[in-house]
Amino acid sequence: MPNSFRFLGFLFMVLFLCAVFLQYNDPDAVTWYLAYGIGAFASLLFGLGRLKLRWAVLLSGFYIVFSIINWPEKFEGVVIGEGNIDAIEKGREALGLLISAGIMGIYALLIGKKKRLD
């Protein structure tokens, strides 16, 4: 895999770790430590060229399902002060999970492409 793609894994590992550290004051912080910690670990594995296609696909699906479960009944955006704070918080969490799903999906596509080229 080209170094630019490996760098992507290390970059997202750092970003996932930042997300982990930002959860310290969240009432359900352990849930988010696990969700984003798993993303950081998967990104590390991708950066090292050790992430398996099936795990990238599985994690992408996991994040999509977790996002659907966390989606607010009424999406009111992500800016505090423009709606119900609980709906905004749930919307932010769900969007973060969708971003995580997208990252894992990109990993899966890149791994799959590499397998076809080998």
Side-chain angles (χ1 to χ4, degrees), residues 1 3 10 31 35 38 40 43 46 52-53 59-60 68 70 72 76 106 110 115 118:
M1 183 158 318
N3 285 337
F10 294 122
T31 301
I38 289 168
S43 294
F46 180 80
K52 303 291 184 196
L53 177 61
L59 285 171
S60 183
I68 291 168
N70 279 286
E76 297 186 26
I106 290 169
L110 291 172
K115 282 188 172 204
D118 288 344

Side-chain angles (χ1 to χ4, degrees), residues 1 8-9 13 24 27 29 44 52 59 62-63 78 83-84 87 90 94 101:
M1 183 158 318
L8 185 70
M13 177 192 73
Y24 71 92
L44 172 64
K52 303 291 184 196
L59 285 171
F62 163 77
Y63 283 120
V78 294
N84 179 299
K90 288 187 83 58

Side-chain angles (χ1 to χ4, degrees), residues 7 10 22-23 36 40 42 59 66-67 86 102:
F7 174 75
F10 294 122
L22 290 173
Q23 301 303 317
Y36 294 133
L59 285 171
F66 198 25
S67 177
D86 293 329

